[in-house]
Amino acid sequence: MNEISRFRDVDVSESRRFQTCALANLPEYRTGELRTANYDAPIVREYGEAIKNKLDGLQRERDVAEELEKKYPEEKGYTIISEVYLRDKDGNIVKDPVTGEARRIDFVVVKDGKVVDSIEVTSKTADKTSQIAKETRIRESGGNYIRDYDGNLIRIPDNVCTRIERRE
């Protein structure tokens, strides 16, 4: 079949088979009152919820960042690094051997070249079990380093575990 013959008009005899689909049997379809909004409503609702969830998440992260800045002030030698990947001793991003995904931690606090805190920010209801399991596997696979803003590799000590900060 050549490219042009794939694109052709459906003649009247073939159009009958399309009239048997469930959509064609809806009264709204037969009367011409089928509106796109009827079918877009669930998508818009889900899209709207997704945006609200993202905005809420960003607000939670801003709130936690402000609190961390007070708890770990820059003038006392602390650096708060956000959205940091777990890396190996050579600086390569390490992927989970099970999922094949990397892990990015929301906030890591560094002082004097040492990680002192690791924070994951989330909602009150989000299940973080699989994410923490992924992080554990990555750490066991050698992903015990991060890069600071200057590009330096910093080892995460074994006694520093990512804590979950739950917010509304």
Side-chain angles (χ1 to χ4, degrees), residues 118-137:
S118 177
I119 305 98
E120 176 71 22
V121 181
T122 191
S123 69
K124 293 272 189 187
T125 59
D127 182 6
K128 292 293 183 176
T129 307
S130 63
Q131 197 169 24
I132 294 303
K134 176 171 68 171
E135 180 174 335
T136 301
R137 289 189 300 268

Side-chain angles (χ1 to χ4, degrees), residues 66-137:
E66 287 176 12
E67 290 174 18
L68 289 173
E69 287 169 1
K70 289 176 187 171
K71 184 176 179 179
Y72 300 111
E74 191 176 349
E75 52 272 5
K76 290 193 176 181
Y78 293 101
T79 303
I80 301 165
I81 307 167
S82 62
E83 299 293 326
V84 56
Y85 280 101
L86 292 175
R87 298 173 179 273
D88 64 17
K89 61 182 175 136
D90 299 318
N92 301 308
I93 294 173
V94 178
K95 294 188 178 180
D96 175 18
V98 173
T99 65
E101 300 171 343
R103 172 79 170 101
R104 194 169 53 208
I105 301 172
D106 289 337
F107 297 102
V108 175
V109 181
V110 176
K111 182 175 183 180
D112 299 327
K114 295 180 184 164
V115 173
V116 296
D117 202 357
S118 177
I119 305 98
E120 176 71 22
V121 181
T122 191
S123 69
K124 293 272 189 187
T125 59
D127 182 6
K128 292 293 183 176
T129 307
S130 63
Q131 197 169 24
I132 294 303
K134 176 171 68 171
E135 180 174 335
T136 301
R137 289 189 300 268

Side-chain angles (χ1 to χ4, degrees), residues 29-47:
Y29 182 83
R30 283 181 273 155
T31 60
E33 294 178 15
L34 186 63
R35 298 280 186 259
T36 306
N38 294 342
Y39 294 95
D40 287 346
I43 296 168
V44 171
R45 188 187 78 243
E46 291 169 14
Y47 181 69

